[in-house]
Amino acid sequence: MFCTHAIRFMEKAGRAAELALTAAILVGVLALAPVWAEDITRGAVTGQTKAKGYDHPGQYLHLLPVRIADNMEPVIVHADQEKQARHKLAVLEKRFGKKPNILIFIMDDVGWMDPGFNGGGEAVGNPTPNMDRLAHSGLILTSAYSTPSCTPTRATIHLGQNPLHHGLLRPPMYGEPGGLDGAITVATLLQKLGYVTQGVGKWHMGENEGSLPQNVGYDDFYGFLSVSDMYTEWRDVYFNPEIALSPSRFAMMQKLPFNRNNVHCVKGKKGVENVYEINLSTIGNLDQDWANYSEKFIRKMAKSDRPWFLYHATRAGHFDNYPNDKYAGKSPARTVFSDAMVEADDILGQLVRALEETGQLENTLIIFTSDNGPEGEVPPHGRSPFRGYKGSSWEGGVRVPTFVYWKGMISPRKSDGLFDLGDLFNTCVSIAGVPGAEIAKHLPKDRYVDGIDQTSFLVADNGLSNRRSRFYTLNQHLSGVRIDEFKLIAALELEKAIFPRGYQAGFSGAIVTETGGVTMVNLYTDPQEDVNSGIRHIPATVVLGAEMGRYLEVLKRFPPRVKVGFGPTN
Ligand code: CA
């Protein structure tokens, strides 16, 4: 189910290589001399060289990570940067007299190259000056990863688990059961640590009582419970005339058991308060309404002696985009997607201005990201320079535009160090005072944590990632692993396998789980993932095979779950 025979073969080879690697590291340490100091002749084709080459501090193929808890992913420890980060946090806490605030600003279906800081912006007809200014004053993460779609990513951020472990393998639609169901989330833990927790915007992590925001850690929530298209696509005579222009079918949609409103949820209160119905007349106001709600929260909290966590999830980006009237045609591209990007950029600017004006900017960590890559089947949509779209585990589907900004705390730079959005779970809690392996004490022992505490990566000057590898999932499959520039592929979406015409992306293709076996790409020489490097680069392939093997053992000890899946009963 999770890997091909050939990948299994690579795991065996990889385990042998891992033992050899361990032995080589030990020999190197014991001899107190680098193992590469021998007189090695290199390059029969390119000519022999005595050149020493370069090691890059953020590359870990040759390193083994440190195991910190039985139910947590191992980490690359950087003791010095950890010490520096903790010192900076302590100084800041002394200055403000409370822990730092955290703002997660998450967009929907926005591609890696949509904002200007990753090469889009003006170049694709939707300038993003606020995103760009903050990104370039903070840390741009060029290899930050989501899952292939909305709900799995949002649950990953909240639970620190990849979809195989949290079981939300795809979004629940039109009132389907399944969600967070009372799980301990990042909001639960922050609330426990004294934070005021506020959710605003798109939820889409379950509509049942146990999954409502106030029952998974939020003091207050204002937004919609599902996903943008569910409120409008069946009403729209252009997109779905088959439903919108049939009274009986339209009535069928109105009877489906999902909430059609912008809602308000409050801790301690059952259910939701319906604020207003979301339809073709009101949807264009949602992002403005939500922005004002978040701004009000930020301004109110300036007077509080408690730190806060604000999860602001935009409507913008997901089809069908209905930017506010005031933004119609405001992007040079003039598409609804690009207009929505420009609107969202203004909203980010609005929230940051509120932080600045209330003196909270320097005590607030801001994370900007997207929940998955562009949805390639419904134009106009986002853009990515990488292969594939939302719904696949090609880079285009899961590598998302991301930066972290923290005035005075994060030095401006770019890093290609691996960052999984699941790391936000650990990192937010770490910044709130529960670092590293300590988070395990707050969770059930049978819960595996795929996230890694990346506090020192973000906060230390020139900090490096604490993550050696990043696993890819695709529906119910473990689909690959990346270490440094190498990505081993075990399952994939073959885009053009089924439909010869129309948009061929994301959810339209076929899932292939039996590959030729030695299928690995080099994301530096071939970011488009269309050339196999597996055989030519077997020294790297076996290391990635070993890493895949390690995680398959993790999946035996902490088995995959299915809460919303693809089978006949799900
Ligand atoms: Ca999405």
Side-chain angles (χ1 to χ4, degrees):
M1 177 179 176
F2 294 107
C3 65
T4 63
H5 298 298
I7 294 288
R8 283 189 204 109
F9 167 77
M10 279 194 288
E11 288 155 36
K12 281 186 191 163
R15 270 195 285 276
E18 191 169 296
L19 285 174
L21 178 64
T22 311
I25 291 169
L26 281 175
V27 168
V29 170
L30 291 175
L32 293 176
V35 290
W36 56 85
E38 302 163 31
D39 188 13
I40 300 167
T41 53
R42 302 184 192 220
V45 174
T46 55
Q48 289 187 9
T49 179
K50 295 281 183 187
K52 285 183 179 170
Y54 291 92
D55 275 331
H56 295 275
Q59 296 187 333
Y60 305 141
L61 190 76
H62 61 294
L63 292 178
L64 290 177
V66 176
R67 190 173 164 163
I68 57 168
D70 187 51
N71 59 339
M72 293 183 75
E73 275 290 276
V75 302
I76 297 288
V77 176
H78 304 289
D80 287 352
Q81 74 177 42
E82 181 67 26
K83 202 173 150 193
Q84 192 201 94
R86 290 293 149 201
H87 176 70
K88 282 171 90 170
L89 287 167
V91 170
L92 190 78
E93 188 172 348
K94 209 170 166 191
R95 182 174 153 205
F96 280 90
K98 60 179 179 181
K99 296 285 184 195
N101 311 311
I102 299 165
L103 164 59
I104 294 179
F105 188 94
I106 182 167
M107 292 197 67
D108 202 347
D109 293 8
V110 167
W112 193 91
M113 211 181 73
D114 286 321
F117 66 83
N118 274 350
E122 281 85 351
V124 294
N126 46 233
T128 52
N130 289 299
M131 295 174 196
D132 301 354
R133 176 177 56 84
L134 295 166
H136 289 299
S137 311
L139 168 58
I140 297 171
L141 297 168
T142 50
S143 284
Y145 286 94
S146 69
T147 79
S149 70
C150 312
T151 300
T153 294
R154 289 157 200 268
T156 289
I157 291 171
H158 278 80
L159 302 171
Q161 297 181 296
N162 71 36
L164 300 184
H165 277 131
H166 63 57
L168 295 166
L169 301 177
R170 66 166 174 84
M173 298 300 288
Y174 290 108
E176 288 179 309
L180 293 178
D181 291 325
I184 297 172
T185 69
V186 62
T188 317
L189 293 176
L190 290 173
Q191 199 175 51
K192 207 168 141 189
L193 294 166
Y195 276 62
V196 176
T197 53
Q198 175 72 57
V200 174
K202 175 180 176 176
W203 182 244
H204 214 186
M205 288 179 282
E207 293 195 27
N208 56 310
E209 186 66 31
S211 298
L212 291 178
Q214 73 269 36
N215 297 322
V216 287
Y218 284 96
D219 294 324
D220 189 276
F221 173 83
Y222 184 77
F224 63 47
L225 295 178
S226 191
V227 51
S228 200
D229 50 312
M230 267 175 44
Y231 303 102
T232 52
E233 64 184 4
W234 48 282
R235 303 175 190 270
D236 194 309
V237 297
Y238 181 72
F239 297 131
N240 278 291
E242 299 88 342
I243 306 290
L245 297 178
S246 158
S248 303
R249 290 174 176 179
F250 193 82
M252 167 189 85
M253 296 306 295
Q254 287 181 305
K255 282 183 202 141
L256 287 180
F258 70 97
N259 188 302
R260 292 161 190 73
N261 300 282
N262 188 45
V263 303
H264 184 211
C265 302
V266 179
K267 191 187 168 195
K269 282 193 186 167
K270 207 167 180 281
V272 304
E273 175 203 343
N274 292 330
V275 184
Y276 54 82
E277 188 185 50
I278 303 166
N279 53 41
L280 290 165
S281 306
T282 58
I283 193 163
N285 296 325
L286 278 182
D287 270 323
Q288 293 298 315
D289 190 9
W290 295 347
N292 293 335
Y293 201 90
S294 283
E295 182 185 347
K296 217 166 130 189
F297 172 76
I298 289 169
R299 292 191 183 277
K300 182 185 78 183
M301 289 309 296
K303 300 174 197 91
S304 173
D305 56 3
R306 290 171 64 193
W308 51 262
F309 171 69
L310 171 58
Y311 175 78
H312 184 100
T314 68
R315 193 227 56 77
H318 197 289
F319 71 91
D320 300 296
N321 280 289
Y322 297 93
N324 191 268
D325 277 352
K326 136 173 133 166
Y327 287 90
K330 197 166 182 192
S331 70
R334 292 193 192 80
T335 66
V336 286
F337 180 87
S338 284
D339 286 349
M341 280 298 295
V342 168
E343 182 176 5
D345 185 72
D346 274 356
I347 289 169
L348 180 62
Q350 177 184 344
L351 301 188
V352 172
R353 199 160 50 246
L355 288 169
E356 204 157 22
E357 287 172 5
T358 54
Q360 299 178 90
L361 192 58
E362 286 168 82
N363 199 36
T364 304
L365 166 64
I366 300 171
I367 299 128
F368 171 94
T369 192
S370 173
D371 67 343
N372 48 255
E375 164 51 82
E377 288 131 313
V378 189
H381 55 69
R383 311 79 162 185
S384 172
F386 304 114
R387 177 174 177 176
Y389 291 92
K390 173 185 181 180
S392 79
S393 54
W394 297 113
E395 296 293 293
V398 294
R399 214 198 287 192
V400 285
T402 304
F403 69 80
V404 285
Y405 171 86
W406 196 347
K407 191 178 177 185
M409 287 291 281
I410 292 179
S411 55
R413 65 197 197 279
K414 265 191 186 187
S415 172
D416 196 45
L418 295 183
F419 191 93
D420 188 291
L421 292 188
D423 297 344
L424 291 175
F425 174 78
N426 306 58
T427 306
C428 291
V429 174
S430 172
I431 281 168
V434 180
E438 284 183 35
I439 199 169
K441 294 176 196 160
H442 297 262
L443 300 169
K445 284 193 169 44
D446 63 351
R447 177 165 154 182
Y448 195 75
V449 183
D450 292 295
I452 282 176
D453 179 1
Q454 296 270 31
T455 305
S456 71
F457 175 26
L458 307 187
V459 171
D461 299 333
N462 300 315
L464 300 169
S465 176
N466 299 100
R467 173 175 283 285
R468 180 182 185 235
S469 63
R470 194 272 165 176
F471 292 97
Y472 297 74
T473 65
L474 178 61
N475 297 359
Q476 69 272 35
H477 307 286
L478 178 65
S479 62
V481 62
R482 176 176 171 183
I483 299 178
D484 299 344
E485 69 271 46
F486 299 106
K487 175 180 179 181
L488 186 71
I489 296 169
L492 57 108
E493 195 236 2
L494 199 54
E495 299 99 322
K496 298 176 183 175
I498 301 176
F499 299 105
R501 296 194 297 126
Y503 298 104
Q504 300 156 321
F507 299 103
S508 304
I511 305 290
V512 175
T513 56
E514 293 286 335
T515 70
V518 194
T519 41
M520 186 184 78
V521 292
N522 180 327
L523 293 170
Y524 284 171
T525 58
D526 174 35
Q528 275 291 321
E529 298 179 89
D530 54 4
V531 176
N532 186 27
S533 291
I535 293 294
R536 176 67 282 172
H537 296 282
I538 289 175
T541 313
V542 291
V543 179
L544 271 76
E547 183 64 352
M548 195 69 138
R550 177 187 70 76
Y551 197 74
L552 288 169
E553 291 299 317
V554 168
L555 287 174
K556 279 186 199 157
R557 288 190 295 124
F558 299 88
R561 296 199 302 164
V562 179
K563 295 192 84 178
V564 181
F566 294 86
T569 56
N570 289 290

